[in-house]
Amino acid sequence: MKKLFLALLLLVGVATWAQGKRERKQDGERLTKEERVDLQVKRMTKDLDLTEKQAKEFRALATKQVEKRDAKRAQVQEERKAKMEALKAQMQEEQAAHTAEMKKILTPEQFAKWEKLRDERKEKVKEKMAERRGKGKPSIQDSQK
């Protein structure tokens, strides 16, 4: 049972690794549209023994699919970016409202001390995040490059 589980785990790992390499060049950057289409056409021609006519028709289909996929990816990225900007703006508004409320509650000396403490906590959080990213844990932005 252990051997079966190990073999299955190894198979999944190899398959995942192999799929990850398909869409990237050796230096890690993405393939261009033409390179992806060429790769698909070569693979299909080899696997299915396509004729020249079939290869041309498949190239046209693959080009359409790659363009659709890229357009969808761009749309999703734009939507995600807009959503994040809206969330960031909302959080800034809430933070400004919180600061205004604190200013009403605290004396000027207490408010100044509270702001100083808040800024120190922000710096500590930034340092911890930079430390985490520096210890081999890539950030989301690093993994999307």
Side-chain angles (χ1 to χ4, degrees):
M1 188 67 173
K2 288 182 183 179
K3 289 181 182 180
L4 178 65
F5 179 71
L6 185 60
L8 183 62
L9 187 63
L10 182 63
L11 180 65
V12 169
V14 170
T16 304
W17 176 73
Q19 287 178 358
K21 287 184 74 174
R22 279 187 190 163
E23 297 255 339
R24 300 206 180 268
K25 295 180 181 178
Q26 287 182 347
D27 57 358
E29 67 182 66
R30 286 190 144 305
L31 297 174
T32 64
K33 288 180 188 179
E34 294 80 21
E35 290 172 329
R36 285 184 280 167
V37 169
D38 287 342
L39 190 63
Q40 286 181 350
V41 170
K42 285 178 186 176
R43 191 177 300 129
M44 292 295 284
T45 302
K46 179 184 169 193
D47 292 346
L48 302 176
D49 291 327
L50 299 180
T51 65
E52 281 294 317
K53 181 182 177 191
Q54 289 174 321
K56 282 184 181 181
E57 290 174 359
F58 180 73
R59 178 177 296 281
L61 177 66
T63 302
K64 282 184 201 176
Q65 287 300 104
V66 166
E67 289 172 356
K68 279 184 184 178
R69 209 174 310 129
D70 287 349
K72 185 66 173 176
R73 182 178 292 131
Q75 177 188 357
V76 167
Q77 285 176 343
E78 286 299 316
E79 289 172 358
R80 185 178 296 145
K81 184 178 177 182
K83 195 174 191 179
M84 289 302 292
E85 288 173 357
L87 185 60
K88 187 176 180 180
Q90 180 185 1
M91 289 177 70
Q92 287 175 341
E93 289 174 11
E94 289 174 3
Q95 187 176 17
H98 179 72
T99 301
E101 290 293 320
M102 290 298 287
K103 196 169 191 173
K104 289 179 187 177
I105 295 170
L106 301 175
T107 65
E109 296 84 24
Q110 290 173 325
F111 183 74
K113 188 174 180 179
W114 176 76
E115 280 188 317
K116 182 181 175 190
L117 292 171
R118 183 184 63 185
D119 292 342
E120 288 173 1
R121 280 191 296 260
K122 280 184 183 179
E123 284 302 314
K124 283 184 182 179
V125 167
K126 284 182 183 179
E127 288 173 11
K128 284 184 180 180
M129 290 302 289
E131 188 177 301
R132 279 185 181 175
R133 288 185 182 146
K135 286 188 176 180
K137 288 187 175 182
S139 67
I140 294 173
Q141 290 85 13
D142 294 340
S143 65
Q144 291 179 350
K145 287 182 181 176

